[in-house]
Amino acid sequence: MVFPIHRSRRLRQSEGVLRMVRETILSTDDLIDPYFVCEGKGVREKISAMPGVSRFSLDALVSEVKESYSLGIPAIILFGIPDKKDARGSEAYNPKGIVQRAIHDIKSAVPEMVVITDVCIDEYTDHGHCGLVEEGRVLNDPTLELLSKMALTHSEAGADIVAPSDMMDGRVQAIRKTLDESGHQDRIIMSYAAKYASAFYGPFREAADSSPKFGDRRSYQMDPGNASESLREVFQDIEEGADIVIVKPALPYLDIIHRVRQEVNIPVAAYNVSGEYSMVKAAAERDWVDGERVMMEVLLSIKRAGAQMILTYFARDAARTLNR
Ligand code: PBG
């Protein structure tokens, strides 16, 4: 009989002991802070479905990013909201586009901040899809050229990491080749390797004005019922040259994060997406849960599952809690 020799509660008897035996510890180093950048001056436009998150114009963005850096957050990821959209998403790969200018301004003001860019044309196309569209279908191979151009303009503006989130097949290889041929061998590719067709992206699509105007994204993003397929996606992206892989969303896919972590030997990131954020905020606003504790528990669970980096709208709130 094990009890009473083994008493699990012995290791829970004081804060000091708890600290000594804790297996997973969240740090500000784990956090990646997402930003939405738009045209204009002095713009700080709140996103109603994401309390605490705003769209910023360039001038406002730079001071926000400085704050993130001073809180100890090592990296940000940028999403652009252009003024003009068209069928080919041409603003996405305009060297003077909104994200390209944002990268430049951030790198000038806070050079130590690691700047990641989302590489996907859905915020820039008038139809809202992540690829070129012909007769109602999203085309794979013709989209690769646009994604490569987009990644290259980000890299030329000074981005440290490009993060393709489109889920077109072969895009990591296409981007790696374009970057290498242009002397950008050192740019990191963080691919959204296992990205599911999820309803949890709802609030983001309000923020980025990127809902598809027809159909949905199920012909390119993954089916939520599939798990082993995520490994095929991840292995393929690694073979094509991905340096870091992302699993997205995070909370409803902790099993996928765990499996990917077991199978690969490169860094694994997870995206704690807009809907996951908004659910916690909404419940906290009603006093149904303790928002701060739930936030920290959610982030810890994602790290415990195996992610060593977390893209999260909680980044600054969590950093403030961690710094206390
Ligand atoms: C595509 C992209 C999306 C998100 C990140 N990159 C939207 C989508 O696939 O519809 C969603 C992020 C979130 O919900 O927080 N550019």
Side-chain angles (χ1 to χ4, degrees):
M1 199 176 68
V2 169
F3 178 81
I5 297 170
H6 288 288
R7 288 178 179 272
S8 302
R9 294 184 57 197
R10 273 189 206 117
L11 296 181
R12 298 177 196 140
Q13 59 184 292
S14 70
E15 192 54 39
V17 173
L18 285 170
R19 279 169 53 200
M20 290 169 70
V21 302
R22 187 165 293 141
E23 297 171 40
T24 306
I25 295 165
L26 199 67
S27 143
T28 51
D29 291 346
D30 307 327
L31 304 170
I32 299 173
D33 200 0
Y35 278 104
F36 298 99
V37 55
C38 61
E39 296 289 355
K41 261 211 148 54
V43 182
R44 293 170 182 274
E45 194 183 338
K46 291 194 166 69
I47 295 152
S48 62
M50 299 174 73
V53 178
S54 301
R55 302 170 170 196
F56 298 113
S57 54
L58 281 182
D59 49 334
L61 178 74
V62 170
S63 63
E64 295 291 328
V65 172
K66 280 185 185 155
E67 198 202 329
S68 296
Y69 193 74
S70 68
L71 286 167
I73 297 169
I76 60 156
I77 179 162
L78 289 174
F79 296 94
I81 301 143
D83 271 353
K84 293 191 306 256
K85 303 191 188 222
D86 60 26
R88 296 180 61 81
S90 21
E91 276 303 302
Y93 40 91
N94 175 355
K96 298 244 151 23
I98 184 70
V99 164
Q100 288 81 355
R101 278 176 285 142
I103 299 163
H104 174 268
D105 290 4
I106 292 166
K107 276 296 182 185
S108 312
V110 206
E112 306 82 8
M113 182 59 103
V114 175
V115 174
I116 308 172
T117 58
D118 190 78
V119 173
C120 183
I121 61 174
D122 64 328
E123 293 124 59
Y124 303 88
T125 52
D126 50 16
H127 46 71
H129 275 289
C130 303
L132 286 171
V133 170
E134 202 175 85
E135 289 165 11
R137 293 190 55 222
V138 176
L139 305 178
N140 195 88
D141 296 14
T143 304
L144 301 181
E145 191 198 326
L146 305 188
L147 294 167
S148 303
K149 278 199 328 204
M150 184 177 185
L152 182 59
T153 58
H154 290 173
S155 182
E156 283 168 345
D160 301 281
I161 305 184
V162 292
S165 70
D166 52 283
M167 289 298 277
M168 297 298 120
D169 292 316
R171 87 273 207 222
V172 173
Q173 182 178 57
I175 291 170
R176 186 72 272 162
K177 185 162 175 284
T178 302
L179 292 177
D180 288 356
E181 284 171 358
S182 312
H184 295 244
Q185 292 88 348
D186 290 337
R187 294 311 193 211
I188 297 164
I189 298 181
M190 179 183 210
S191 87
Y192 289 77
K195 177 172 176 180
Y196 285 86
S198 170
F200 283 87
Y201 307 149
F204 174 95
R205 291 183 189 167
E206 179 207 323
D209 181 26
S210 63
S211 294
K213 298 292 176 293
F214 67 89
D216 53 42
R217 303 210 199 290
R218 289 188 301 160
S219 79
Y220 41 104
Q221 298 181 348
M222 284 180 58
D223 188 307
N226 294 356
S228 36
E229 188 190 354
S230 68
L231 298 179
R232 291 208 297 279
E233 286 281 3
V234 164
F235 289 139
Q236 175 156 347
D237 282 8
I238 295 173
E239 268 173 47
E240 291 183 26
D243 301 289
I244 301 169
V245 286
I246 309 180
V247 174
K248 177 185 177 183
L251 266 194
Y253 298 88
L254 290 177
D255 58 322
I256 307 296
I257 297 172
H258 186 71
R259 272 176 86 154
V260 169
R261 175 67 288 162
Q262 306 297 309
E263 297 288 337
V264 309
N265 54 9
I266 66 168
V268 176
Y271 200 140
N272 175 225
V273 302
S274 56
E276 302 173 49
Y277 173 84
S278 302
M279 287 195 310
V280 173
K281 286 286 178 183
E285 275 179 7
R286 293 172 185 206
D287 272 329
W288 288 352
V289 297
D290 177 332
E292 185 179 25
R293 288 188 53 202
V294 168
M295 162 182 77
M296 297 311 280
E297 195 173 327
V298 162
L299 296 174
L300 191 68
S301 77
I302 296 168
K303 184 160 184 194
R304 195 185 60 233
Q308 55 204 104
M309 302 169 211
I310 308 172
L311 300 95
T312 178
Y313 304 95
F314 287 122
R316 271 172 293 171
D317 285 349
R320 279 188 205 99
T321 299
L322 289 168
N323 292 335
R324 262 210 303 272

